Structure formats: structure tokens, C-alpha cells
Amino acid sequence: MKSDAEQSLAGPPARPPPSPPPAAAPAPATTSLAASAVEERVRSFSTASEASEDSTSALLPDVAFGPASASSAAASHTGMGSPRSNRESQPLLGARHDVDEFNHWPDDPHFTDLVRQAETAIESGIYPERIYQGSSGSYFVKNSNGQKVIAVYKPKDEEPYGRLNPKWTKWLHKVCCPCCFGRSCLVPNQGYLSEAGASLVDQKLQLNVVPKTRVVKLASETFNYTRIDREKSRAKKLVSERFPKVGRHFHRIGLPPKVGSFQLFVEGFKDADYWLRRFEAEPLGETTSRQFQLQFERLVILDYIIRNTDRGNDNWLIKYDKPELDDQGDGEDWSLVKPPEVKVAAIDNGLAFPFKHPDSWRAYPYHWAWLPWAKVSFSQETRDLVLPLLSDMNFVQELCDDMYNLFQTDKGFDRHIFERQMSVMRGQILNLTQALRDGKSPVQLVQMPAVIVERSKGRVGTTARFRSFSDTFTQSFQEKSPFFSWC
């Protein structure tokens, strides 16, 4: 004869007895056993989650059981179908939470929105296109509809001497001529920081010649990855598709995001070499020539402060809008002609901020020093713009602190090397300040002796960041000169 518990599990008999069934008594015991089993299951899952490697990242939301409503269910379905939530299922994005926090600037919503457009385009299959010119892996980044280039992205590990540089010319250079490999005055693989640092100096001095540049993390199939990274990404994607419950425990499904410089794209500009040749054949008018002179002086100030070692006429841009008749004019009144406009854009700033002045083989001169505009003394407008700032030591120290906040994000950051970089920059600022006060020209500026202004070593520091350096500075001149002074 079956027990009461077995009868309760097997279900009610065909003809229930007239008396009340005695199955009500063991029900609390059965419920208690089920609850304890669920609790034990949850406890074991929590223990396993805490022991996992990526428990600190919010992979699964905390679930709280409560009464569900129709509105909340609808909101849940809407959230799962939104583009923002679909990002978590995309294999190319990697750890979305970490990247979203990195690619966010509350003080610059416009730049943040452009980066979001780039991420959305990659999610939609509109990948960045590699630029085949140059010596590094750089890419044109497009917006979500794929019809407009919005930025130029340069990953750190694809720089001229990076381990994943896709250009074979630098690999050949490294193999065939190792003695001349790289530039001894620069920190290797810091080009992306140099790009962002040049934009920072441009903004602090209000020069407005560098397209805004920041450090960004992106992942794309068109970037140069190792075979291991691609195979791991492909394997995780297959596992996630076949076993979704297992795939949710992966910290990252797609390719790892790369850190690099994200520089806004400027439209209507051409290489400076193109327009400089045109200006020789067709000289500019007096007003336009004056306007170009002011823009040129800002380029000079930027390059000199950051000690750019790679400023040729092919890596800065000029935009020249010729005079045109106003659309509202009738074609007879020549007073309605739109005046010409000329602008300068300083790009390719990745080989700047050396920790010493060039003193080995090459001098890496400024190629704009041979232009006729370099023989004209700095204008009063330029001196009024930058001289009050550069003469203020508090401003210079604030600039160094901002550079520290930027450069310290690199994994290979060395505080002492960084201090040497700032010593060179402070020396450049000192020379520039003196040249502006004396009314010198750009060509006279580059002929001034190289100066280094470094902190005196001591135990007292102005801030906690430089506790091993004192608040006094020592000025010194470079004695060693490079073998070739003309290249």
C-alpha cells in the first residue's frame, strides 16, 4: 500500500476517498526541502562566481524576485531590443563596460558623441579603412551610415616601431639596419600619447591648429591582430552561439580593444607642399598673406614647444578657399565678393616630446624653417596670445601636470623619463619666451642653443607626483651635436 507522500507525488487517485486526504501534513516538509535545495544551488553558484577570474566585472545582473507587471515586462523587452543592449552580444566590441567608461568625456559631449558614432558604425559592419600612406597602421573611421570620414585612428601597437605594425617597410628597416632603427631621443611606442599631447598643448595655448585628439579604445576586424587573438575570438563566438549559457560567462567574446589616438578628420585640406607651390606661382593678396602668416606662426609655436622631430611639408595641411561671388549678389556688384580664407592644420604629431635633444645621427630639423614666412618676425597678435601664458610659471606647471595625467595612462610609464621629457619642453618654452620678447623670427628661434630646464634632485617636491624632485630648477645647455645637422 502506497504511503501518503507517494500518493501526493503520484497525483490524486481516480476515486478520491470521502474523507480529507492526509497529504496536507507533509507539504511543509517537501517545500522546505525544495527551498533548501534551491538555496544550496544559489550558494554554490555564488561561490563559483566569486572564485572566477572576472567576477569583478558585471557580467550578469543581480536578480531580485518580485511581482512582475506588464509595464516592466514591456520595458525589459524594449531594453533587450535596443541598440545599446545589443552591443553586449556583438563579438567585436570586447568588454563593453570597460570601453564605455574609457571612451567617455563629460566635459566634451561632442567628442564623446563622435566616438559613439564610430562604435556604432563598427557594430553595423562599417569597419575603419587602413590608410596605405605613411609608416604606421592608421585608419579612416567613418560614421554610422558609412558616407563620411569622422576621424583618423592610430593604434599604439601598430605604430612605426610597434610589434603589430602592418607596414613591411619598417620591418625591413629593423632587420637590415638595426643600428639606425628608431629615434634615440624618443620613447618607443608613445606616438599615440604624443598625438594627444600635441592637441592638449594646442588647446591650452588656444592655437587651434591641431584637430582635437584623444586616447580612445576601439576594436575592429580591419585592425592588425595576432593569429591567436583572432582564433580565440572565433572560438568564443562559436561557443557563445551554440551554448549561450556558457557564453555569458566569457569576459570578452570579440577581439580585444586597442588603445590609440583618435584625431578628428578635417575636410577641405590638402598637403602643405601642394599649396606652397601654388603660392609661389600665384602669390597671395596682402590680407590673405597676413592671415596665413598668423596661422604659420601658430604652427611654429606648437612644433617648437613639443619639439616635433617629424615636421615636413607633407604632414601639415593647408585649406585655401579662393574668393567667390556671394550667392545673394547679382554678379555686378564686386563688393559682394567673399574674401579668401586660409587655415592650417597640424597633423602627424606622433614623433614629439623627446626626453633629450637629438644628439646622435640626425638633427631632425623643422622643415618650415626654410620657408619665406619663417624669416618674418613674430607678429604682435601672436605675442599677445601666448607670451602672457608662457611667462607664467604656474601655467607651465599646470601644463606639465596635465601632461602627467595623460602620459601616466600608458602601461610602460616611467616617471623619471617623463620628467626628462618635461625638462626638454620647459627649455623650449624658455627659449620661445625669450624670442617673443626680443621680437625674433622663427628662423632665429630655431638657431638658439638647445636648453634643458630640469628639476634639482632633492627630497622636497611641489606636489605628491614629484616627491623625488625639488621645487628648484637648473638650466643647462646641450653640448653634444648630431652628426648630420641638415637632416
Side-chain angles (χ1 to χ4, degrees):
M1 188 173 181
K2 295 183 179 180
S3 62
D4 295 338
E6 292 176 348
Q7 289 182 4
S8 62
L9 295 175
R15 293 183 179 180
S19 59
T30 304
T31 306
S32 177
L33 290 174
S36 61
V38 172
E39 183 179 2
E40 183 66 24
R41 183 72 177 274
V42 173
R43 186 183 300 109
S44 63
F45 179 78
S46 301
T47 305
S49 300
E50 293 175 356
S52 63
E53 179 181 356
D54 303 317
S55 59
T56 55
S57 59
L59 295 178
L60 294 175
D62 293 332
V63 180
F65 295 94
S69 61
S71 60
S72 62
S76 175
H77 287 292
T78 303
M80 290 299 294
S82 62
R84 187 69 177 177
S85 62
N86 284 342
R87 289 180 173 182
E88 299 179 359
S89 62
Q90 295 293 334
L92 294 177
L93 298 180
R96 286 299 324 167
H97 180 71
D98 297 337
V99 174
D100 285 344
E101 287 187 350
F102 192 89
N103 297 343
H104 180 63
W105 299 270
D107 58 335
D108 194 348
H110 176 67
F111 192 90
T112 303
D113 179 67
L114 289 177
V115 175
R116 291 290 179 266
Q117 292 183 33
E119 294 173 341
T120 304
I122 295 176
E123 295 169 13
S124 303
I126 305 173
Y127 302 130
E129 297 180 359
R130 182 179 297 172
I131 305 173
Y132 290 96
Q133 295 84 3
S135 59
S136 64
S138 53
Y139 302 84
F140 284 130
V141 181
K142 298 184 178 181
N143 59 359
S144 56
N145 56 23
Q147 299 179 356
K148 180 181 179 182
V149 178
I150 59 175
V152 174
Y153 186 69
K154 299 180 180 180
K156 173 186 176 181
D157 56 10
E158 299 186 31
E159 291 181 4
Y161 303 108
R163 64 184 184 90
L164 293 178
N165 181 15
K167 305 298 178 62
W168 63 271
T169 53
K170 286 301 175 181
W171 176 85
L172 190 64
H173 182 194
K174 181 178 181 180
V175 173
C176 299
C177 192
C179 59
C180 300
F181 180 71
R183 305 191 178 193
S184 60
C185 59
L186 296 177
V187 180
N189 296 332
Q190 272 197 359
Y192 76 109
L193 292 178
S194 180
E195 295 274 6
S199 178
L200 177 61
V201 174
D202 176 81
Q203 295 177 33
K204 296 283 290 185
L205 292 176
Q206 302 177 10
L207 300 176
N208 299 324
V209 294
V210 179
K212 184 171 292 186
T213 311
R214 293 183 183 270
V215 177
V216 172
K217 286 184 179 180
L218 290 178
S220 173
E221 283 281 0
T222 52
F223 295 162
N224 193 26
Y225 286 97
T226 61
R227 186 177 181 85
I228 296 178
D229 286 337
R230 293 190 180 276
E231 292 298 331
K232 287 171 59 178
S233 173
R234 187 176 295 109
K236 289 182 178 180
K237 181 180 179 181
L238 292 176
V239 172
S240 178
E241 290 177 352
R242 297 192 60 181
F243 308 99
K245 293 184 179 180
V246 178
R248 283 182 297 183
H249 293 278
F250 289 144
H251 177 65
R252 179 179 58 244
I253 297 179
L255 295 168
K258 291 191 174 189
V259 61
S261 61
F262 189 93
Q263 185 175 84
L264 300 186
F265 185 77
V266 289
E267 297 181 352
F269 286 78
K270 292 185 178 180
D271 290 344
D273 188 62
Y274 171 82
W275 281 115
L276 293 177
R277 295 179 184 273
R278 293 286 301 271
F279 293 161
E280 291 180 0
E282 303 175 7
L284 298 173
E286 182 179 356
T287 303
T288 310
S289 179
R290 178 66 175 174
Q291 187 180 8
F292 179 72
Q293 179 70 33
L294 297 177
Q295 290 282 303
F296 176 78
E297 291 176 0
R298 297 188 178 196
L299 172 70
V300 170
I301 290 175
L302 172 75
D303 282 348
Y304 194 81
I305 290 179
I306 67 177
R307 187 48 183 102
N308 197 337
T309 65
D310 186 34
R311 180 62 78 202
N313 293 334
D314 57 344
N315 54 13
W316 60 287
L317 307 176
I318 297 177
K319 180 180 180 180
Y320 176 58
D321 295 331
K322 295 183 178 181
E324 297 178 354
L325 285 175
D326 197 330
D327 296 338
Q328 299 178 357
D330 55 2
E332 298 179 357
D333 188 1
W334 289 93
S335 62
L336 297 178
V337 174
K338 290 183 179 180
E341 185 178 10
V342 60
K343 292 183 179 180
V344 167
I347 62 172
D348 289 344
N349 304 301
L351 298 177
F353 298 101
F355 60 88
K356 65 175 183 177
H357 288 281
D359 59 0
S360 184
W361 288 99
R362 299 172 57 187
Y364 306 111
Y366 311 97
H367 288 271
W368 41 252
W370 285 276
L371 297 176
W373 295 274
K375 300 178 182 179
V376 181
S377 301
F378 284 101
S379 62
Q380 187 64 39
E381 293 89 337
T382 300
R383 283 184 285 178
D384 293 340
L385 176 65
V386 300
L387 191 56
L389 297 175
L390 298 181
S391 302
D392 186 2
M393 287 304 300
N394 292 327
F395 173 83
V396 176
Q397 181 59 43
E398 181 182 349
L399 178 61
C400 293
D401 291 342
D402 292 340
M403 297 297 297
Y404 175 87
N405 293 331
L406 172 64
F407 277 62
Q408 72 168 346
T409 59
D410 187 75
K411 292 183 178 180
F413 175 74
D414 188 317
R415 184 164 57 90
H416 294 275
I417 295 295
F418 171 78
E419 178 58 29
R420 295 179 61 184
Q421 291 175 294
M422 294 299 100
S423 298
V424 174
M425 189 179 74
R426 283 191 290 262
Q428 297 292 95
I429 292 177
L430 180 63
N431 271 352
L432 178 60
T433 303
Q434 189 63 39
L436 292 175
R437 290 174 178 171
D438 296 343
K440 294 184 177 181
S441 63
V443 68
Q444 292 174 327
L445 170 65
V446 300
Q447 293 174 352
M448 298 177 69
V451 181
I452 298 176
V453 180
E454 56 185 348
R455 291 179 181 270
S456 300
K457 295 183 179 180
R459 293 295 180 183
V460 181
T462 55
T463 62
R465 300 169 183 166
F466 302 99
R467 290 179 179 176
S468 61
F469 300 95
S470 66
D471 55 353
T472 60
F473 297 88
T474 302
Q475 175 182 333
S476 60
F477 295 91
Q478 177 177 313
E479 299 179 357
K480 185 179 179 181
S481 300
F483 188 80
F484 300 103
S485 60
W486 49 271
C487 65

